Each structure stands twice: as C-alpha cells, then as structure tokens.
Amino acid sequence: MLKIVNLKAAINGKEILKGLNLEVKPGEVHAIMGPNGSGKSTLAAVLAGREIFEVTEGQIMFEGKDLTTLSPEDRAREGIFLGFQYPIEIPGVSMNNFMKTAVNEVRKYRGLTPLTAGEFLKMMREKKELVEIDSKLTNRSVNEGFSGGEKKKNEIFQMAMLEPKLAILDETDSGLDIDALRIVANGVNKLKSSENAVIVITHYQRLLDYIVPDFVHVLYNGQIVRSAGKELAYELEEKGYDWIKKEVDQLEAN
Amino acid sequence: MTSYELIDTVQELKKLYLIQKEELGLRLPAALTQIQQDAFNAFNQLGIPTTKAENYRYTDLKPSFSKIYKTALSSQEIQIEEDALFNCDVPNLDTQVEFILNGRYVARQLDLTVLPSGVVYGSLLNAWSEFPELVGKYFAKAADYKDDGLVALNTALALDGFFLFVPKNRQIKDTIQLITMLDHTDNLAVNTRNLIILEDNASAHILVCDHTFGESHFLSNSITEIFAGENASFHLTKMQNANNHSTCLDGNFIYQQANSQVIANAISLHGGLIRNHFHVKLDGEGANNITSGLYLTDRNQQITNHTLIEHLKPHCMSSQLFKGVLDDEAIGAFNGKIHVHPDAQKTEAYQVNRTILLSDTAKMNTKPMLEIYADDVKCSHGATIGQLDDEALFYLQSRGISKKEARLMLMYAFMDEVVSTIQIPGLKERVEELVSKRLRGELSRCNHCDFKCH
C-alpha cells in the first residue's frame, strides 16, 4: 500500500528526514515512536503533502502512485488521512459545511455522485455514534472552542467520514485523559479493516494498549533505526530511548 | 432648458447651485433655501476635501471630481419598468420597495404617503412642502455642513431623497427596501439626501440597495441623517453594488437618544471608489450602536470606511467591526475613531478592523483611534492586516478540499462575523449568498434583478 524508500526531507534547508524507509501493507497497524525532534511529525506532514517541507530525495509510493507529485487534496482523495497533533480551529466554517464539502470532493474524485442532504445527514449521524462524538460539536465551527479531547475525537470523526485507506495519526493521544483516550482508540479500532492501514505516531506505549500495533518502529535522527513487534513498545517504556540512541550513535561513529 | 447640465469642475458645481436656485428657489420652502445658501457659502470656504485633510487622507477625490458629468436638475419623465423594479426585491423577504432614481424619489402611487398610524414616507422634497416644521426640526441637524466639504456640497445641492417618519410608539414591521439607482446614458453626478426620523419607542428596518445601471461614470454624493428617539430601534443595511467607473460617497449621520439602539451595516460588494462615513452621536444614557462593514474589493477599486463614534452621555455602548478582503491592485482604508466625551462615564466602546490581502499589490491603510476624556470607561481597538492562514488552508486541503475551494471557505468564514450582525429576517441568507457569489467571481449583478449593473 505505502512504500517509502530513502526519503529525505528538509524545511528551510535543514534536513529533518535523512533516508527513511518504511513499508505498510493493507490491514496493518504500524506504530512510530521516537524521542522529541526525531522527525515523527515531519514524516506525517510530508506524507500529507505539507508544502513547507521539501522532499529532496527518495520516493513515496502509495498504491502504485508517486505521492510526492500530488497536491494535499489529491492525496486525501487517494485515501490518505492525517490526524493532526494540533487540530486547527477555523471560526466561521461550520463542521457540517466542512464535512459535506470534503466528503463530496472525495466522492467526485472517485467518480461518485455527491451525497444528497438526507444521505449526508444520515452518514453524519452514523459516524458520530460510531466514534462517540457529542452531536452538538458538529453544529459548531470547525474545532472552535473545542477542548483538547474534543478536538482529537473530532479528528477520528473526520476519519470515519472520509473512510481513508491509510490513516496517519500524529500523537492523537497527547493531551487526552484516560476516558477520551479509550474513546479515540475505540473509534480507530472500529474503523480498522483488512483493507486499510494505520500509522500511529506516539510517545507513549499507553495508546498501544488500546490500538495494538503489528509493528513498532523507532525513528531517531530522521531515520528508522529499529523495527520490531509490539514488544518493542514495552521495552521502550521501560528503558527509554537512550540505549537506542547510544547504539545508533556508536554505529555511526564507527 | 435641458434637464441635465454639464459640470466638470468645482466651479461648474457652484454654477449649478446658482442655476438651481434661480430655477427652483421660489418653489422651495424658505427654511430649505436658507440652509442651502448657508451650505453653499460653507462649500465655497471648504471646497472638495483633499488628502491633506485628516478625514480624507486615504481617499483621493480628485480623479472623481475631475471627470465631466451631467447632473439632474429637475424631475424627469422617468420610465421605470415596474416589473424590473419589483424583480429587484430580495427573495423571501417581506419588503416594501421604495425607489430613488438619480437622486429623485420615484412615486409608484403617491409622492408622500401618510398612514393612519401617523407614519409618513416618500419624497423628502414633498415632505418639505407638506411637513415643513417636522422636516425643518431635523434637517441638517445631524450632518454638520460647516466642517466637511462633501456634506456642504450635498446640503447645497441635494433636493430629494427618501423621507421616513415613524411617530412615537409605532413600529414598522416589514423591512423597507430602498433601491437607489443611478442610470443615465451620460456620466452623471448626483446628490441624494435621505432623512429618517424615529420618535420615542419607534422602530424600523431599512435595506438600501445601491445600484448603477449601464457603463456611465457616476458620482454619487449622498447623505443620510438618522434620528433615533428614546428607546427607538433602527436597523440599516446598505448593499453597495456599483460599476467600476462609479464613485460612491456615502455619509451616514446618526443621532441617538437614551436607550435607543441602532445597527448599521455597509456591505460593499462592488464600486470604483466607495467611501462610507458613519458619524454616530450617542446623546442619551443607555444608547447602543453597532456599526459594521464588509468589503470585497478587487481590480483597481478603492474602499474607505470612515467612522466617528461620539459618546456624549454615560452608560452607552458602541461596537464597530469592519472586515474585508482586497485583491489585485485594490486599495482600502479604515479610518475610525471612538471619541469619549468627559461626561460619558461607564462607556463601553469597541472597534476592530481586519483585512486580508490576497495579492502583493493590494494595499490597506488602517488607523483605529481612541480619544478618551472620561476616566471610567471600557474601550478597545485593534487592527490586523494579513493573509489567509496557511495552516487552516492545509487543514482543509488535507481533507480533500481543493485549494481554491479552501481559500473561498476561509474568506467566507472571515467575513461571516460581519454578516452575522445583520438581523433583518431573511436578509442574512441573501447577503451570505451574494458574498459567496462575489468571492467566486460570479456576481455580475444581483440575482433576480433585471438591471444589469455591470
């Protein structure tokens, strides 16, 4: 589904991703962990097409297409979803209008007719129930005045509405209390299928108790330096990142 | 003589006054001719304001007054297609449509209607002859012609416009839609004068639609005086949609007594040069004023919003919100002042101006001002000029929304704050639609209107 080969990306001339490789297949859950500043959020933004990052080398193939040539909106229409670490408040744009426009633009791209008002409302209702989002939130402007937890739930709601093939959740657990974390994780699990895939970016093993990964990768200094099963997350929780940093730094010194 | 006289300079405008005086002077009420004479003398002193005057610093009127115009002298035989006129109604809106063409009230039935309730509306010129005392009591009392050349010019030359009188305790439920149309095969200069009087506990809503018809160059210098008595409530929305050769100088002078409430919006959709001026006097405790403006300006268009909100008595509230989007080579200005007089303790006054520039060549000047002479007040002002928020743009795009559509959504959201201050039932939706069309570049003329304004 997704194949990243030797990806290098920079912002304002400063290289953040330094030759990253990753392959994700349908039905898989990948967790990406790593110390602060290792490039986790950059990877998420680059996959979604944030223009301030420049891809200087390497390839991102998604379902056989070269993603780097696509605009952010076309990537979304192809089935990529980014759950933002800090969802943006947009006063004056209603959730309803936002979702209706988004869903219908994605449908149009895929050669489907736009949803009727009735179909759309029904879909909204169903997805709201699915992800346990307060129905009042969708009557407001996008994220405006939402609490941290509500914003994250709203990300999962949007994911449910857009039905992506690949969801990249950037620190969706940060700032959540234990109840909100459970709701968010439940939402992700309900949307999971053998057809789609999830990349979870997180600092903490806690989220991975709820969203169980098939693979855990450690990102350090712009590269994936270690990949293993979910047990790696427990090891990191226990020992921190220093041992990995040391190993990597030593290797490089040699 | 012909109905239109050529004018091309200020000298010609002055000549027009003298001709008008000779032609019509004897038929006009003495009180009016006296005021006109005084205003003319004032205009001789003041002239057309230049950019050296602080209030006109950002509005260069010279090009507008350097063109050659004709000007309407007397009522013409005006052919108006009633159907077209009615089609200009805002759909789904209960309005009573009134019409001003080239500065003259166009009667569909009567020049002046007097309802059993005591409500009077129609031609200001007719109101002068039928109710000289009433009109004389208010006329030129809010708009001071002694310190502004444009007010002086209008007061000296304007003959007609819309008149509304709502007596004590009377409410006009239906919105009055005043369509002010400029239409001539030649370039035309017009001075229009409106007078609106609400006595204590009276209320009314007016929607003014400014249109131009055809491609002629128009110079419109219009003044509206509004008097709101104690506890009166008045709502004014202006929709400006004129061609790119036109100059719209629009002065609004609002005088409010205790506990009155006035809401005014200027929605500037189109126009070569638009200058909106709002001068509000809050002269009774508990008076409340909300004045806002929305501007969508592109190509070589110019827009200025100029305000002066005077708090004369304690416990009054005023709030100003002006927002707009400038594109291409457009030039915008906001020059607004809150003036709190020494007696006006416990004043609450707010002022905000926000502009988005879509191009590198658009230009905005903003000057929010506070002048406070009382010590127990709550006032704030602020201004921002910026671009669309890149992060918000990316957020929308990341959900599959095209960049173009995302930009429109953000611009629309930006302006929604002003649109939502419109409280005339049904009108908000209509304005939303027009703003959205304007943003998409689809607004060549108002929907359902047979007049092709562009």
Side-chain angles (χ1 to χ4, degrees):
Chain A
M1 176 181 270
L2 177 75
K3 194 168 184 195
I4 304 175
V5 183
N6 191 32
L7 178 65
K8 294 185 181 177
I11 182 166
N12 299 328
K14 187 176 181 249
E15 191 168 70
I16 310 285
L17 299 182
K18 301 172 179 172
L20 187 143
N21 297 292
L22 180 67
E23 186 166 3
V24 178
K25 295 195 176 81
E28 292 178 348
V29 175
H30 289 246
I32 294 181
M33 304 181 75
N36 290 328
S38 59
K40 299 188 299 294
S41 288
T42 300
L43 173 62
V46 167
L47 288 176
R50 187 82 214 255
E51 277 156 12
I52 52 171
F53 293 99
E54 191 195 349
V55 173
T56 51
E57 219 182 300
Q59 251 191 345
I60 310 171
M61 300 301 288
F62 180 68
E63 307 250 280
K65 281 186 186 164
D66 182 3
L67 270 195
T68 55
T69 60
L70 296 183
S71 64
E73 56 266 37
D74 278 347
R75 295 180 196 211
R77 294 160 180 174
E78 287 288 344
I80 295 213
F81 178 88
L82 172 62
F84 281 61
Q85 184 180 1
Y86 303 108
I88 313 293
E89 297 196 17
I90 313 182
V93 174
S94 72
M95 270 305 294
N96 248 317
N97 184 27
F98 170 44
M99 276 294 99
K100 198 171 180 177
T101 309
V103 167
N104 282 334
E105 289 224 14
V106 170
R107 286 180 67 86
K108 194 170 142 196
Y109 187 79
R110 295 177 187 169
L112 301 168
T113 53
L115 294 179
T116 64
E119 287 166 342
F120 174 74
L121 288 176
K122 186 166 167 260
M123 186 181 182
M124 288 277 280
R125 210 166 38 235
E126 284 169 4
K127 302 294 185 183
K128 271 192 275 196
E129 270 172 35
L130 185 75
V131 299
E132 299 173 59
I133 183 173
D134 185 346
S135 64
K136 273 175 255 152
L137 290 182
T138 55
N139 293 333
R140 300 188 2 210
S141 290
V142 178
N143 293 322
E144 191 187 20
F146 286 24
S147 71
E150 286 167 342
K151 282 181 183 167
K152 296 300 175 77
K153 280 191 224 169
N154 192 20
E155 294 294 289
I156 304 305
F157 168 67
Q158 292 171 43
M159 174 180 159
M161 290 294 289
L162 295 167
E163 300 171 337
K165 292 176 194 154
L166 173 67
I168 303 144
L169 305 176
D170 187 8
E171 297 200 25
T172 297
D173 52 337
S174 67
L176 291 187
D177 63 31
I178 201 77
D179 293 325
L181 182 70
R182 187 188 49 77
I183 290 174
V184 162
N186 277 349
V188 174
N189 288 330
K190 282 183 202 164
L191 297 168
K192 194 74 217 48
S193 78
S194 59
E195 308 289 309
N196 59 25
V198 183
I199 297 175
V200 180
I201 293 172
T202 182
H203 268 295
Y204 305 104
Q205 170 267 329
R206 194 180 64 163
L207 176 69
L208 304 179
D209 283 343
Y210 296 93
I211 304 172
V212 182
D214 300 301
F215 301 94
V216 175
H217 309 277
V218 176
L219 185 58
Y220 174 57
N221 203 13
Q223 288 182 318
I224 286 179
V225 294
R226 184 166 300 229
S227 299
K230 65 181 173 193
E231 66 283 354
L232 178 57
Y234 292 102
E235 202 178 350
L236 291 171
E237 185 77 3
E238 205 179 300
K239 303 203 284 195
Y241 292 112
D242 278 354
W243 60 283
I244 292 185
K245 287 187 196 173
K246 246 180 236 163
E247 272 183 29
V248 174
D249 294 344
Q250 213 155 29
L251 263 174
E252 280 186 2
N254 295 339
Chain B
M1 71 175 281
T2 57
S3 359
Y4 291 95
E5 196 68 14
L6 269 180
I7 50 170
D8 65 339
T9 62
V10 172
Q11 285 309 316
E12 293 294 326
L13 275 170
K14 289 177 181 173
K15 212 191 280 173
L16 173 74
Y17 167 77
L18 298 171
I19 295 166
Q20 194 163 288
K21 190 179 169 192
E22 199 183 304
E23 288 272 310
L24 305 166
L26 291 174
R27 284 187 276 140
L28 298 176
L32 176 59
T33 49
Q34 185 56 53
I35 293 170
Q36 287 181 333
Q37 178 68 57
D38 290 348
F40 181 68
N41 294 341
F43 180 68
N44 272 329
Q45 297 282 319
L46 296 162
I48 300 298
T50 68
T51 49
K52 282 183 191 140
E54 189 54 39
N55 287 350
Y56 289 86
R57 198 169 143 194
Y58 304 115
T59 317
D60 186 2
L61 297 174
K62 208 174 162 198
S64 297
F65 280 88
S66 304
K67 296 178 186 174
I68 295 173
Y69 298 98
K70 290 184 171 184
T71 183
L73 265 187
S74 55
S75 314
Q76 287 87 64
E77 290 184 10
I78 297 161
Q79 298 290 328
I80 293 178
E81 290 179 29
E82 291 266 326
D83 283 351
L85 199 152
F86 282 112
N87 280 339
C88 224
D89 289 18
V90 175
N92 308 319
L93 194 58
D94 268 340
T95 60
Q96 179 183 341
V97 180
E98 299 291 320
F99 204 84
I100 305 274
L101 178 65
N102 299 341
R104 307 303 291 255
Y105 180 78
V106 180
R108 292 221 301 276
Q109 286 166 336
L110 298 168
D111 280 328
L112 196 67
T113 305
V114 183
L115 298 177
S117 61
V119 170
V120 181
Y121 65 89
S123 153
L124 176 63
L125 188 59
N126 280 73
W128 265 116
S129 15
E130 308 227 357
F131 303 97
E133 276 182 25
L134 177 65
V135 177
K137 187 177 158 195
Y138 292 97
F139 187 85
K141 296 293 189 292
D144 183 1
Y145 52 79
K146 292 200 174 74
D147 68 2
D148 186 313
L150 290 182
V151 180
L153 180 69
N154 177 285
T155 309
L157 289 174
L159 290 172
D160 200 5
F162 186 65
F163 174 75
L164 173 69
F165 171 72
V166 189
K168 218 170 168 173
N169 301 326
R170 293 289 168 187
Q171 278 83 43
I172 299 183
K173 288 210 177 67
D174 285 352
T175 299
I176 296 170
Q177 186 183 6
L178 184 64
I179 299 171
T180 64
M181 175 67 71
L182 297 173
D183 175 14
H184 201 265
T185 48
D186 294 311
N187 297 346
L188 191 69
V190 172
N191 287 278
T192 310
R193 185 84 175 205
N194 304 313
L195 177 60
I196 296 172
I197 304 161
L198 284 85
E199 288 193 334
D200 298 351
N201 296 312
S203 79
H205 295 165
I206 293 190
L207 163 64
V208 181
C209 299
D210 285 335
H211 296 272
T212 56
F213 183 47
E215 288 300 310
S216 298
H217 296 225
F218 295 104
L219 170 63
S220 161
N221 179 31
S222 83
I223 300 249
T224 302
E225 289 184 286
I226 295 158
F227 296 86
E230 282 189 21
N231 212 30
S233 159
F234 182 66
H235 194 136
L236 174 74
T237 295
K238 298 208 160 201
M239 306 267 284
Q240 297 167 323
N241 196 1
N243 74 29
N244 284 339
H245 313 299
S246 56
T247 299
C248 305
L249 307 170
D250 193 37
N252 300 278
F253 296 83
I254 302 168
Y255 179 84
Q256 293 185 238
Q257 288 180 293
N259 299 313
S260 62
Q261 167 154 4
V262 173
I263 300 175
N265 319 93
I267 314 287
S268 306
L269 295 170
H270 249 294
L273 186 157
I274 296 176
R275 182 181 188 271
N276 294 313
H277 173 60
F278 290 93
H279 184 173
V280 176
K281 283 185 177 173
L282 299 172
D283 198 14
E285 291 198 20
N288 186 322
N289 180 280
I290 298 172
T291 295
S292 38
L294 182 65
Y295 41 98
L296 297 106
T297 312
D298 61 6
R299 288 176 275 186
N300 291 310
Q301 297 177 348
Q302 291 185 54
I303 171 83
T304 297
N305 281 295
H306 189 274
T307 68
L308 171 58
I309 314 291
E310 292 194 69
H311 283 256
L312 296 153
K313 295 280 157 63
H315 294 286
C316 293
M317 203 285 284
S318 73
S319 169
Q320 298 171 68
L321 177 66
F322 286 82
K323 288 177 110 173
V325 176
L326 304 182
D327 200 358
D328 305 326
E329 322 270 309
I331 300 176
F334 175 77
N335 196 340
K337 191 198 261 187
I338 297 168
H339 184 160
V340 182
H341 289 257
D343 283 348
Q345 299 294 357
K346 304 283 179 191
T347 285
E348 266 190 68
Y350 309 102
Q351 183 191 63
V352 173
N353 172 228
R354 299 195 193 289
T355 306
I356 287 181
L357 302 180
L358 295 180
S359 72
D360 292 339
T361 42
K363 192 171 152 188
M364 180 71 194
N365 296 298
T366 182
K367 194 175 165 204
M369 282 179 287
L370 283 174
E371 213 174 302
I372 302 174
Y373 299 99
D375 50 19
D376 186 10
V377 300
K378 222 162 117 182
C379 294
S380 72
H381 65 167
T384 58
I385 300 168
Q387 279 85 39
L388 288 176
D389 180 354
D390 273 343
E391 295 205 4
L393 207 54
F394 177 66
Y395 190 71
L396 295 174
Q397 282 178 275
S398 78
R399 300 306 184 239
I401 297 170
S402 70
K403 192 169 190 175
K404 188 178 166 222
E405 189 65 31
R407 282 168 67 94
L408 286 171
M409 284 174 92
L410 291 180
M411 282 190 269
Y412 190 75
F414 172 72
M415 286 179 287
D416 183 64
E417 205 184 342
V418 177
V419 177
S420 60
T421 64
I422 296 172
Q423 284 172 18
I424 296 174
L427 182 60
K428 204 176 113 183
E429 293 70 24
R430 170 76 175 135
V431 173
E432 280 171 358
E433 191 194 323
L434 279 174
V435 167
S436 160
K437 278 191 183 271
R438 174 69 172 94
L439 287 174
R440 284 168 201 278
E442 291 168 7
L443 182 71
S444 54
R445 60 189 171 116
C446 298
N447 272 1
H448 307 288
C449 176
D450 287 345
F451 294 110
K452 295 190 178 71
C453 304
H454 301 280

